[in-house]
């Protein structure tokens, strides 16, 4: 036995699961049972090992954005460059990339209008097929004049950078007049975008030289040529695509340590909290004067369960009433308290090893600053092998930017950036994956990714898991019937216990205990956290 030195180990309390009850995700009346753990302090290595026994992960080093991801990135770039706002389906699930809130591009709208107009032309052709040629000749000069005006308007729009959805695409032909073969046929949106880009670059570089293109007779550019069109752009190419000097908006992403709070975090706390408050009121329909009980961060996220946390609602309600009545706290102050406990305070100990990332390990807020104000905050934990995404809140006025998807892609890119300095940090964790729940299923869109086998705790590519999940809500992903959990607790007597300010192995502690349920609880804890964590962490017993 030894006295505790106060800094060397994680200290946790374990709460054994009670009866089965309704699951907050699948709505099964007896589909959930929680085993909770309260961390008084937690080392980043222990937390890393815990989430490796209960979550899913994405492999950012091999990640390639999907078509829907690219649409979101392009939408953000258009907004930054020209201020274009496209608000279709902006109220969808913030992180759900399968929702088509990403918009297909400005000129896709033009193509759709072209098709509708062409259908109208077809009807006009049938009705006016017997009209005289003389009437057509009489109208030809007028049509030539109007067509020239329309063509000039298109060119001016392409060069001005104005939103293209304000362009009128076709002049409806007069009755009796068929399709004008002198007009150019409808072109693909991709070709029009290339033409617009060429025109824009030509205006910015009158000499005729710009990255990726060269005018004839000019010396070669000193910039390396762009990748061939058949090679997909990397995530970084898509995110950090250069903007024009006269861009409408400026976006900056800052990473600040939230626990212990850095000076930058303290300086921006009030502004960040106001964004969170608006997010709760608009997205989750919380009243402005009522702190939300369900958002108090009571347990480490690896054991997080909304039903389990809601069991503390009565106690927290009493706490709020006590603070307001006895200490005269305003509702806003109570809201700040729950915000701090939920998304700012963290049991993770900050660590800054020489071989780690420059920002160190621990809990952080990734702030998204648009034109000098915070519009979104991603709450993340940086651990020895991964970046773990905890939560995102944002200003509802910017829902049209699909900030849930965008922030996930930025966090993946951030993980890749950290990997350059810390080679073992190479994964991105998004929490639980629940195949039958649409609000959780979107995580499977970020690939390549793996799911953890719930019985053997080995990582399995998600593609191999999906067929089984289609047939059953619970599956063993490891196909080897002989495989077992190699990290399971094999020697429960070696579990470290913290009792009366003294550290001791469970083998010693159990000699002084007479409660028959005590051993079952400790064994359950040891099996869940595994042998390695059970020998490093201190299990508090009173």
């Amino acid at each position: 036995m030894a006295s505790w030195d106060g800094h060397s180990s994680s200290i946790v309390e374990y709460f054994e699961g009670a009866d089965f009850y309704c699951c907050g995700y699948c709505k099964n009346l007896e589909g959930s049972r929680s085993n909770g753990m309260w961390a008084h302090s937690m080392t980043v290595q222990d937390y890393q090992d815990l989430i490796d026994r209960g979550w899913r992960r994405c492999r950012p080093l091999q990640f390639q954005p999907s078509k829907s991801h690219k649409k979101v990135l392009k939408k953000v770039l258009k907004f930054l460059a020209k201020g274009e706002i496209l608000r279709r389906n902006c109220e969808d699930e913030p992180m759900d990339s399968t929702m088509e809130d990403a918009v297909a591009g400005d000129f896709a709208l033009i193509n759709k209008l072209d098709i509708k107009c062409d259908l109208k032309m077809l009807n006009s052709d049938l009705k006016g097929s017997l009209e005289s040629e003389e009437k057509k000749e009489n109208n030809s000069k007028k049509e030539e004049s109007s067509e020239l005006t329309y063509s000039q308007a298109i060119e001016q729009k392409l060069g001005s950078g104005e939103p293209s959805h304000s362009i009128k695409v076709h002049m409806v032909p007069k009755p009796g007049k068929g399709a004008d073969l002198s007009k150019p046929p409808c072109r693909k949106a991709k070709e029009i975008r290339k033409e617009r880009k060429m025109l824009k670059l030509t205006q910015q570089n009158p000499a005729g030289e710009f990255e990726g293109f060269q005018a004839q007779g000019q010396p070669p550019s000193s910039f390396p040529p762009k990748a061939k069109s058949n090679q997909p752009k990397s995530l970084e190419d898509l995110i950090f695509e250069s903007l024009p000097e006269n861009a409408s908006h400026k976006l900056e992403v800052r990473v600040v340590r939230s626990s212990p709070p850095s000076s930058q975090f303290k300086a921006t706390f009030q502004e960040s909290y106001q964004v969170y408050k608006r997010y709760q009121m608009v997205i989750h329909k919380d009243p402005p004067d009522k702190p939300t009980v369900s958002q108090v961060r009571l347990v480490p996220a690896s054991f997080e369960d909304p039903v389990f946390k809601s069991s503390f609602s009565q106690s927290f309600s009493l706490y709020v009433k006590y603070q307001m009545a006895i200490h005269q706290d305003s509702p806003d102050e109570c809201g700040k308290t729950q915000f701090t406990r939920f998304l700012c305070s963290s049991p993770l100990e900050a660590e800054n090893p020489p071989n780690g990332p420059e920002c160190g390990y621990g809990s952080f807020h990734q702030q998204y600053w648009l034109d000098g104000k915070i519009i979104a905050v991603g709450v993340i934990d940086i651990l020895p092998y991964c970046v773990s995404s905890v939560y995102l809140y944002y200003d509802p006025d910017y829902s049209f930017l699909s900030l849930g998807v965008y922030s996930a892609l930025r966090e993946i890119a951030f993980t890749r950036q950290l990997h350059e300095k810390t080679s073992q940090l190479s994964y991105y964790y998004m929490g639980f994956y629940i195949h039958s729940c649409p609000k959780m299923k979107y995580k499977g869109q970020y690939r390549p990714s793996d799911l953890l086998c719930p019985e053997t705790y080995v990582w399995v590519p998600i593609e191999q898991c999906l067929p089984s999940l289609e047939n059953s809500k619970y599956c063993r992903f490891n196909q080897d019937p002989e495989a077992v959990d190699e990290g399971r607790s094999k020697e429960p007597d070696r579990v470290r216990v913290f009792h009366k300010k003294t550290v001791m192995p469970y083998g010693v502690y159990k000699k002084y205990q007479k409660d028959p349920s005590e051993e079952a609880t400790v064994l359950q804890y040891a099996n869940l956290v595994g042998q390695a964590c059970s020998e490093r962490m201190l299990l508090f017993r009173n």
Side-chain angles (χ1 to χ4, degrees), residues 335-348:
K336 288 181 181 178
T337 299
Q338 65 94 10
F339 166 70
T340 301
R341 294 179 64 181
F342 174 40
L343 295 173
C344 304
S345 299
S346 170
L348 279 183

Side-chain angles (χ1 to χ4, degrees), residues 5 44 101 123 168 211 253 267 294 302 386 411 416 438 469 533:
D5 62 11
V44 292
D101 63 328
N123 290 330
K168 294 182 179 180
E211 186 178 354
V253 179
S294 62
S302 54
C386 75
E411 288 171 4
R416 289 155 65 132
L469 289 172
C533 280

Side-chain angles (χ1 to χ4, degrees), residues 74 78 82 84 105-107 110 154-165 167 187 189-204:
K74 290 177 181 178
K78 284 183 180 181
K82 299 183 294 182
E84 292 186 14
D106 290 346
F107 288 93
I110 294 179
I154 287 285
E155 184 174 341
Q156 290 173 358
K157 286 289 183 180
L158 291 175
S160 67
E162 293 180 24
S164 58
H165 51 70
I167 300 175
R187 294 181 295 159
K190 184 176 181 180
E191 294 177 358
I192 300 177
R193 285 197 297 269
K194 284 184 177 179
E195 180 181 322
R196 180 174 65 171
K197 185 174 182 180
M198 288 289 293
L199 179 62
K200 184 176 179 181
L201 291 174
T202 303
Q203 292 174 345
Q204 293 177 354

Side-chain angles (χ1 to χ4, degrees), residues 30 61 93 235 333 372 405 522:
E30 294 186 350
L61 305 187
E93 182 66 22
L235 177 62
E333 287 299 321
V405 177
V522 174

Side-chain angles (χ1 to χ4, degrees), residues 249-383:
H249 301 285
K250 179 182 178 182
L251 178 66
E252 181 184 0
V253 179
R254 305 177 189 174
V255 178
V256 298
R257 184 179 288 278
S258 57
S259 182
S262 64
S263 57
Q264 298 95 326
F265 177 82
K266 292 178 181 178
T268 58
F269 175 85
Q270 182 63 29
E271 184 174 356
S272 179
Y273 168 66
Q274 292 302 325
V275 174
Y276 167 79
K277 186 176 179 181
R278 289 204 66 228
Y279 173 80
Q280 291 298 120
M281 291 169 58
V282 176
I283 304 300
H284 294 293
K285 312 302 181 186
D286 285 352
D289 58 347
K290 181 180 179 182
T292 51
V293 176
S294 62
Q295 266 116 42
V296 181
R297 191 179 186 182
L298 297 173
V299 294
S302 54
F303 290 97
E304 188 174 10
D305 183 290
V307 182
F308 174 75
K309 289 192 294 184
S310 67
S311 64
F312 289 86
S313 60
Q314 185 176 3
S315 175
F316 186 80
S317 297
L318 290 174
Y319 163 77
V320 172
K321 291 179 180 179
Y322 172 82
Q323 291 295 116
M324 295 175 63
I326 305 301
H327 296 287
Q328 306 300 313
D329 284 354
S330 66
D332 190 62
E333 287 299 321
C334 290
K336 288 181 181 178
T337 299
Q338 65 94 10
F339 166 70
T340 301
R341 294 179 64 181
F342 174 40
L343 295 173
C344 304
S345 299
S346 170
L348 279 183
E349 297 179 359
E351 298 183 21
N352 289 275
N355 61 341
E358 292 183 7
C359 58
Y361 298 123
S363 298
F364 298 84
H365 280 195
Q366 196 166 38
Q367 301 173 338
Y368 294 78
W369 290 76
L370 181 69
D371 301 333
K373 71 173 185 177
I374 298 176
I375 65 165
V377 177
V379 182
I380 60 174
D381 293 324
I382 301 178
L383 304 176

